Amino acid sequence: MLTFSASRVLQSLGVLLIASLMTFSLIFLLPADPARLVAGPSASVQTVGSIRRELGLDRPFAAQYALYLGHLLQGDLGRSYKQQTGVRELIASRVWATFQLMLGAIFLELLLGLPLGIWAALRRGRWPDRLVMGFAFLGASAPQFWLGLSLVYLLAYGLNLFPLGGYGGLSHLFLPALTLGLGGAGWYARVIRSSLLDVLSRDYVRTARAKGLSGSRVVVRHALRNAVSPIVSMIGLDIGVFMGGVVVVESVFGWPGLGRLVWDAIRVVDIPVIVGVVIFSALIITLANLLADLVQLLIDPRIRYS
Amino acid sequence: MAWRRFSRDKAALTGLMLCTLIVLAALLAPWLAPHDPNFQFPDGLSLDGAPQPPGRAFLLGTDLLGRDLLSRLLWGARASLLVGLIANGIAVVIGVLVGALGGLARGVVGTLIMRFTDVMMAFPVLLLAIALTAILRPSLWIVTLVIALLNWVAVARVVYAQVVSLREREFVEAAQAVGASGSRILRRHVLPHLLPTALVWGSLGIGTTVLLEATLSFLGVGVQPPTPSWGGIINESQSYLTTAPWLVLCPGAAILLTSLGFNLLGEGLRDALDPHGRG
């Protein structure tokens, strides 16, 4: 297990290194001229030239990347072109808001997805099953920005239950977290349903039933414990989906997190901030998946990685 | 056999019906649309300049500039489907080829290809798509290209797993034993087996691609006005949510139904073509 964990960590580091190179070269190859953008449209050619030198943009690509990577390894993500602040400080100031949003979304996904999935599995082929599967399909097909606007219209504007947007306590968090997590809740329900159906057909469940244990006891004690294992890796995968989703959700609700930060940066082509947030997201995604794998290894003794 | 299973699947048939309707709406938009989608009707705005609610003259109401919403939605289906079909088509072709090559080429090449997809999986796809389209100056073709280049990874991984199990089968071994070349094995013995997978992803992927295009257009980095697109209409009118909710609700419903149709169709195809792989 130790060798597996070690090789998994090494592999994650490799993924991150290549991810940083790819992000950097993608942005580098774009036709936009950052020096011109920083200087503004009315600046003279000389000013643009001196800004280009100052930002190191006149150096060859490999030198720029090596310099960036060197700083990156010391935790330095460079400085924003537009705001006179370090990118790391900008990310640090926003990460807590986004973290709250993701935590809320995962909580709602589990709160909705688990019971719905169990309900569907226990009533397989009947109307609860069809209802839950329909919900899952709708959740996967609804555009997030539209879901957010509709929830605002119905629950915040129509019924006055929640604030229209902005950052604050739990009442501010509920609608954006629901928007971010509703699609995932349907996905969780589907996976729990099929994994529970699979477990319920196993021999040890039949044995438990034959011993005369009640239906609910069999489900809770024997079947569920084995059916929730995929949920751990799904939460890991979710983080990756969320990293994109927050751009949309934070823009609809005016939530001051990483999504807003990168969206504002994209609109003014503030490249260090864009590259910084993408690399930071790749780091979080890789960490989340690594953690999910390791947790699964701990809770499920049947998994043996080679 | 597969068709019999498919035709008994109510959800799949609903999906097929939705897809047919949307495709017809897009193809027949010039004839179905009651008005010119870009014409700003003088009576399309009320006296104080607000959009008209749904009514007799304009079935789904008008937008902020007094244009007929129904006509714009019908024409908008074209942008959605065009991006959906082309972007996803390219993604499926790249995905099948990369997955098949990775699966057949043992050793370093295969490992390299699959490690590359690992790296791609670590990227937040939506975030990258937004950044790329915004910086590249958004247009219909840039959006299509960016979506295609980001979406092939999932297909490649599924195909890779399939090819790895295919290459152990007797008919591939037999072909190798009689001296068939690698490209011949790929064309004659492997690719035909990947057809169902390509079909399923060809449909499921359109569902995701339509959502992605709508999201980009909503953020203003997708299809550009005056070309009508569903996400774009919502972008223009989101601040009028409380006074003109139909401008947000109707295009959203169009996106939802399109994506739902292709998702249902794709799942139905998967069940019909591969009865063991039920999820």
Side-chain angles (χ1 to χ4, degrees), chain B residues 261-274:
Chain B
F262 284 102
N263 280 335
L264 287 174
L265 180 65
E267 294 280 343
L269 284 174
R270 173 166 23 218
D271 290 348
L273 295 170
D274 175 23

Side-chain angles (χ1 to χ4, degrees), chain A residues 11 15 19 22-23 30-31 137 140-143 145-146 149 153 157 190 243-244 247-248 262-263 266 274 281-282 285, chain B residues 118 120 122-124 126-127 130-131 134-136 211 214-215 218-219 234 241-242 245 248-249 252 255-256 259-260 263 267:
Chain A
Q11 197 188 327
V15 164
M22 275 176 57
T23 314
L30 295 177
F137 269 106
S141 311
F145 59 91
W146 179 72
L149 290 171
Y153 183 66
Y157 174 74
R190 268 189 87 175
M243 277 297 176
V247 181
V248 175
V262 73
W263 175 229
I266 286 170
I274 304 174
S281 304
I285 294 171
Chain B
D118 280 348
M120 291 291 287
F123 277 113
L126 181 59
L127 178 54
I130 296 168
I135 300 173
L136 283 171
L211 281 185
T215 305
F218 167 72
L219 290 171
I234 299 183
L241 178 65
T242 52
V248 169
L249 297 180
I255 303 167
L256 173 69
S259 175
L260 182 68
N263 280 335
E267 294 280 343

Side-chain angles (χ1 to χ4, degrees), chain A residues 137 140-141 190, chain B residues 6 11-24 26 77 80-86 88 199-211 230 254-270:
Chain A
F137 269 106
S141 311
R190 268 189 87 175
Chain B
F6 186 85
L13 287 178
T14 313
L16 183 64
M17 203 184 67
L18 280 174
C19 295
T20 316
L21 282 178
I22 303 284
V23 170
L24 282 179
S80 260
L81 283 187
L82 201 66
V83 176
L85 287 171
I86 298 179
N88 187 55
L199 254 169
V200 168
W201 280 90
S203 179
L204 278 182
I206 294 179
T208 14
T209 311
V210 165
L211 281 185
W230 296 336
I255 303 167
L256 173 69
L257 289 177
T258 309
S259 175
L260 182 68
F262 284 102
N263 280 335
L264 287 174
L265 180 65
E267 294 280 343
L269 284 174
R270 173 166 23 218

Side-chain angles (χ1 to χ4, degrees), chain B residues 130-151:
Chain B
I130 296 168
L132 286 177
T133 45
I135 300 173
L136 283 171
R137 302 252 165 80
S139 76
L140 191 87
W141 299 111
I142 291 292
V143 171
T144 308
L145 207 68
V146 166
I147 294 179
L149 289 183
L150 293 172
N151 263 6

Side-chain angles (χ1 to χ4, degrees), chain A residues 105-268:
Chain A
I106 292 174
F107 176 74
L108 289 174
E109 279 179 335
L110 293 172
L111 192 72
L112 287 168
L114 289 183
L116 285 177
I118 296 168
W119 193 37
L122 296 181
R123 299 278 181 279
R124 182 184 190 175
R126 280 178 274 171
W127 68 266
D129 189 16
R130 267 180 246 134
L131 189 77
V132 171
M133 292 299 273
F135 164 72
F137 269 106
L138 281 174
S141 311
Q144 233 164 14
F145 59 91
W146 179 72
L147 199 63
L149 290 171
S150 305
L151 287 172
V152 167
Y153 183 66
L154 287 176
L155 301 179
Y157 174 74
L159 297 175
N160 230 336
L161 291 174
F162 300 98
L164 290 164
Y167 182 68
L170 277 180
S171 66
H172 287 87
L173 180 64
F174 183 77
L175 286 185
L178 187 64
T179 308
L180 194 59
L182 203 60
W187 182 45
Y188 279 36
R190 268 189 87 175
V191 173
I192 279 293
R193 171 188 176 272
S194 67
S195 122
L196 192 58
L197 284 177
D198 178 47
V199 171
L200 282 176
S201 65
R202 295 280 173 79
D203 287 343
Y204 64 86
V205 172
R206 203 177 308 147
T207 310
R209 283 225 167 101
K211 280 196 314 193
L213 292 182
S214 73
S216 59
R217 221 181 135 83
V218 171
V219 170
V220 173
R221 289 283 302 264
H222 295 268
L224 256 188
R225 264 178 54 183
N226 288 306
V228 294
S229 163
I231 288 290
V232 177
S233 57
M234 285 168 72
I235 294 179
L237 288 173
D238 250 352
I239 304 292
V241 181
F242 287 169
M243 277 297 176
V246 289
V247 181
V248 175
V249 174
E250 290 181 2
S251 126
V252 168
F253 287 93
W255 190 263
L258 284 175
R260 270 310 283 268
L261 176 69
V262 73
W263 175 229
D264 292 341
I266 286 170
R267 280 193 294 187
V268 295

